[in-house]
Amino acid sequence: MNEISGNVDDIVNQMRRFTWVDYVVFVFMLAISAVVGVYWGFMKKQTTQTDYLLGGRNMKVVPVSMSLVASFVSGITLLGSPTEVYMYGTQYAYIIGAIFLMSVIMTQVYLPVFHQLKLTSNYEYLSIRFDNRVRLFGSILFAFTLVGWLPIVIYVPALAFNQVTGIGIHVITPIVCLVCIFYTSAGGLQAVVWTDVIQITAMFGAMAIVAVKGTMDVGGIGVVWQRNMDSGRIEAPDWDPNPLTRHTIWSLIMGGVIYWLQANAVNQTMVQRYLSLPTLRGAKWAVFLFCIGISLLYCFCLYCGLLIYARFHDCDPLQTKLAKAKDQLLPLLVMDVLGDIPGLPGVFVAGIFSAALSSLSTSLNSMSAVVLEDFYKPFYSKELSDRQTAWLMRGVVILLGALCVALVFIVEKMGTILQLTMTLESMTMGPQLGVFTMGILMPWVDATGALVGGVSGLMIMSWWCLTAQLSIARGEITHAHKPLTTLGCHYNYTVLETVAVNVGLGEQVNPVLRVSYMWYTLAGAVVTMCVGAAVSRVNRARGKPHLPPAPNLLAPQIRRLHKEPPHPTEEPFIQAYGNSKETCLINTTSINMKVIKEIAEIR
């Protein structure tokens, strides 16, 4: 900003050069999404539940892989990752190693089980393996997290749009969401996947344009590298074993693997796309391609963080209030380097909103599957016709979409909402992964153990995360950021008075609360599994019978060590299930999946 003079407000107004060409590019992106919805909703009608939710289980690997990347990367990621590098350096980049390690574990342990069962909702597995209580617990956690997360997904890109255009958040949010609700409710998973393909292309294009043009303006990649090296932002792996350190190679790899397993291996929004592929081999390829795609996009985002510092290395826009929030750093860079070229700011904004639309559409489609499979079918005996099922699923999409738009008004009023959302995810992610892991890897755990373990993990993580976030809000826990300066600013600004933080105050906080957030998901999963195993052991000691699960409910590695369930005439089976007509249908060597589902409902 050295070549611009004047007041901060004047500079902000000068940088808002969003021309009619940019608006055309942005509207064109929305129009393409709507056209895809019309095509799959009205020209290629989704006639059955499987068509609407799973694309007829006949999707192609590459489009599904691109859809997985698009829906996982929200506007929060695109705007938040560069800010992470600008403030704290490149240590976070090593989490990419955890992504590929996750792919190995997922394809060998979790994915074979879900794909073989041909489920619609992965929470259906919990009723087959345990009972409907555990299934309902998992479904409620998913719904609760989704409703808290989606308004943030919508709000953050709207904030970026406001930064570059000045248009109010509550003007653009309903318009964009209406388009998303339309094509998701009309076209089902096919529309979601193919709009994701278009949107991920816009995301990569936007980030690539910013990276290339920004690097040229700064003076080349050598200048970018040197300025960040001089400020200590280019970092080697931190091997510090202290769990209180915010980011280390240990927390990023070990904690990161567990975080990514929860997000990708047992999360309905992701698993639903893997189950839409016809073969397990294709699903494994989708996981591998997803890892490559998400890593490339992360590299773009992290490099943009280096670029932001290289551009503003001597005049921090956060201290001068040129950027009023950390998430506005990337939009500020975009308007600085692309503002003079008509159409390019529009491409960037389209890319940011594409990330939000893909996440929103996938979540809406997944939520309709959960409502139908987990909230309706297990508790209502009336069978819905195809027409009624279609109306139910579309109704869920419309109602949840409208709710998210309404919740944006609340999000705007709550200054700490981003921290609260991260806390909400941390509270629920670990227990969810723990419950699924007990089902797949621990055949001795029973339904009561799984439920008590899940509830215990949720309660402990709720206390831990909420208390830690409260300490952060009070300033009792702080994390030192990389050096920032305003010595090179050539414009007028006013530095707001800041409250000095008592550095010694953090030492008085319970060390448990200062543990890095990267360990939260692992901690929640471990607590859940330990409590679940202990409760199941107590149940066996009290003589409560536990029928071992069918081999196809377990990971392939566990099946080799697993004993077949007892014969229907043997005492443990009779004690567990009684003499019922389902008993007679069970073969001594294999268990029919339909019967297992019926037994789960009886239990």
Side-chain angles (χ1 to χ4, degrees):
M1 306 312 302
N2 297 349
E3 56 284 312
I4 300 178
S5 60
N7 296 320
V8 171
D9 292 338
D10 296 334
I11 296 174
V12 171
N13 291 330
Q14 291 175 27
M15 295 180 70
R16 284 176 174 166
R17 296 185 290 267
F18 210 73
T19 65
W20 68 268
V21 179
D22 298 302
Y23 282 108
V24 168
V25 171
F26 179 68
V27 172
F28 181 68
M29 182 270 295
L30 293 179
I32 290 179
S33 300
V35 168
V36 172
V38 170
Y39 177 77
W40 287 105
F42 301 99
M43 298 181 183
K44 293 274 190 178
K45 289 188 176 182
Q46 313 296 295
T47 57
T48 67
Q49 171 190 328
T50 303
D51 289 338
Y52 187 84
L53 297 176
L54 296 168
R57 296 191 192 273
N58 197 31
M59 302 292 290
K60 303 299 181 183
V61 172
V62 173
V64 167
S65 303
M66 296 175 72
S67 173
L68 288 164
V69 176
S71 59
F72 191 89
V73 177
S74 65
I76 301 172
T77 307
L78 293 183
L79 299 178
S81 298
T83 301
E84 168 69 27
V85 173
Y86 180 80
M87 296 297 295
Y88 299 105
T90 60
Q91 192 68 214
Y92 185 73
Y94 297 108
I95 200 172
I96 292 176
I99 297 175
F100 284 94
L101 187 57
M102 173 277 300
S103 70
V104 176
I105 300 174
M106 178 182 174
T107 55
Q108 299 303 312
V109 177
Y110 295 88
L111 191 58
V113 177
F114 294 140
H115 204 278
Q116 183 179 355
L117 295 176
K118 301 296 182 185
L119 305 175
T120 300
S121 164
N122 63 321
Y123 299 106
E124 188 179 354
Y125 168 83
L126 297 179
S127 68
I128 301 172
R129 172 63 177 85
F130 298 118
D131 60 22
N132 280 336
R133 297 176 303 164
V134 184
R135 177 181 188 171
L136 186 62
F137 172 76
S139 303
I140 290 175
L141 281 187
F142 171 76
F144 184 59
T145 306
L146 206 63
V147 170
W149 178 68
L150 284 181
I152 309 298
V153 171
I154 303 168
Y155 174 73
V156 170
L159 199 64
F161 192 79
N162 172 260
Q163 169 79 2
V164 300
T165 66
I167 294 178
I169 291 171
H170 300 297
V171 174
I172 190 61
T173 297
I175 297 174
V176 173
C177 289
L178 189 62
V179 173
C180 183
I181 291 169
F182 168 73
Y183 74 72
T184 304
S185 62
L189 187 69
Q190 290 276 12
V192 169
V193 167
W194 287 107
T195 51
D196 283 351
V197 170
I198 297 168
Q199 289 158 2
I200 191 63
T201 304
M203 281 186 240
F204 271 107
M207 299 306 289
I209 290 173
V210 173
V212 173
K213 180 65 165 57
T215 302
M216 293 170 58
D217 287 357
V218 167
I221 194 169
V223 175
V224 174
W225 182 268
Q226 191 59 49
R227 287 178 179 175
N228 282 278
M229 280 290 291
D230 293 343
S231 67
R233 281 172 170 77
I234 307 291
E235 298 176 306
D238 185 351
W239 297 94
D240 184 3
N242 186 356
L244 306 186
T245 305
R246 185 172 180 268
H247 286 157
T248 66
I249 194 67
W250 306 108
S251 64
L252 291 169
I253 297 297
M254 297 174 64
V257 164
I258 303 303
Y259 168 81
W260 279 90
L261 271 177
Q262 189 284 329
N264 199 42
V266 301
N267 190 314
Q268 171 66 17
T269 58
M270 305 295 282
V271 173
Q272 188 173 340
R273 255 82 54 80
Y274 292 119
L275 298 181
S276 70
L277 294 164
T279 65
L280 178 60
R281 178 181 175 85
K284 289 182 176 181
W285 269 107
V287 175
F288 180 68
L289 294 176
F290 164 78
C291 291
I292 294 176
I294 201 76
S295 299
L296 287 175
L297 198 57
Y298 261 52
C299 288
F300 269 120
C301 293
L302 296 173
Y303 179 76
C304 283
L306 298 177
L307 196 58
I308 292 171
Y309 179 75
R311 182 67 184 88
F312 302 108
H313 68 284
D314 58 354
C315 185
D316 174 36
L318 292 174
Q319 295 184 59
T320 65
K321 297 303 175 184
L322 194 59
K324 294 180 173 58
K326 293 178 181 178
D327 289 328
Q328 291 183 335
L329 285 172
L330 185 58
L332 178 67
L333 176 70
V334 169
M335 296 311 296
D336 184 44
V337 302
L338 302 180
D340 292 331
I341 307 175
L344 290 189
V347 172
F348 170 76
V349 172
I352 296 296
F353 265 104
S354 292
L357 284 173
S358 59
S359 300
L360 179 60
S361 62
T362 301
S363 299
L364 294 177
N365 186 259
S366 296
M367 194 64 208
S368 65
V370 168
V371 169
L372 176 65
E373 295 292 334
D374 301 320
F375 292 152
Y376 181 84
K377 286 186 177 181
F379 304 102
Y380 296 93
S381 57
K382 180 183 177 182
E383 194 163 330
L384 298 176
S385 65
D386 288 342
R387 183 180 179 84
Q388 290 172 323
T389 301
W391 277 109
L392 174 62
M393 293 186 293
R394 287 177 170 85
V396 171
V397 170
I398 294 170
L399 290 176
L400 182 59
L403 176 62
C404 292
V405 173
L407 288 176
V408 170
F409 287 89
I410 300 177
V411 168
E412 187 184 27
K413 302 299 181 183
M414 299 176 66
T416 59
I417 189 66
L418 293 178
Q419 289 184 347
L420 290 176
T421 303
M422 291 178 61
T423 303
L424 177 65
E425 290 184 347
S426 301
M427 287 160 45
T428 59
M429 287 191 303
Q432 281 199 71
L433 179 63
V435 170
F436 277 103
T437 303
M438 284 189 290
I440 292 175
L441 294 179
M442 302 165 68
W444 60 88
V445 174
D446 59 23
T448 302
L451 182 61
V452 174
V455 172
S456 300
L458 179 63
M459 292 175 63
I460 291 175
M461 293 311 299
S462 297
W463 168 81
W464 190 355
C465 297
L466 290 174
T467 308
Q469 289 297 327
L470 187 60
S471 297
I472 292 174
R474 291 172 175 171
E476 298 171 352
I477 299 177
T478 58
H479 301 286
H481 57 71
K482 298 297 182 181
L484 299 169
T485 182
T486 57
L487 295 178
C489 295
H490 291 186
Y491 56 88
N492 300 324
Y493 65 92
T494 302
V495 177
L496 299 180
E497 183 179 355
T498 57
V499 179
V501 178
N502 187 351
V503 179
L505 197 59
E507 303 297 328
Q508 303 173 9
V509 177
N510 188 334
V512 173
L513 302 181
R514 294 191 286 127
V515 170
S516 170
Y517 72 96
M518 290 301 303
W519 295 107
Y520 284 173
T521 305
L522 175 60
V526 169
V527 168
T528 299
M529 290 188 290
C530 288
V531 173
V535 171
S536 299
R537 180 68 182 87
V538 170
N539 286 339
R540 289 199 306 276
R542 293 171 57 194
K544 184 178 179 180
H546 170 59
L547 183 68
N552 54 356
L553 297 179
L554 302 173
Q557 298 78 11
I558 304 298
R559 295 173 191 174
R560 293 190 290 268
L561 307 174
H562 174 62
K563 295 180 180 179
E564 287 286 339
H567 190 277
T569 60
E570 293 180 10
E571 189 64 23
F573 189 93
I574 296 174
Q575 289 179 352
Y577 299 112
N579 294 315
S580 63
K581 63 179 181 180
E582 286 82 7
T583 312
C584 303
L585 298 175
I586 300 183
N587 186 273
T588 56
T589 58
S590 64
I591 297 182
N592 183 279
M593 284 309 304
K594 181 178 179 181
V595 177
I596 294 178
K597 294 181 183 180
E598 292 175 358
I599 291 173
E601 292 173 0
I602 291 174
R603 283 197 288 178

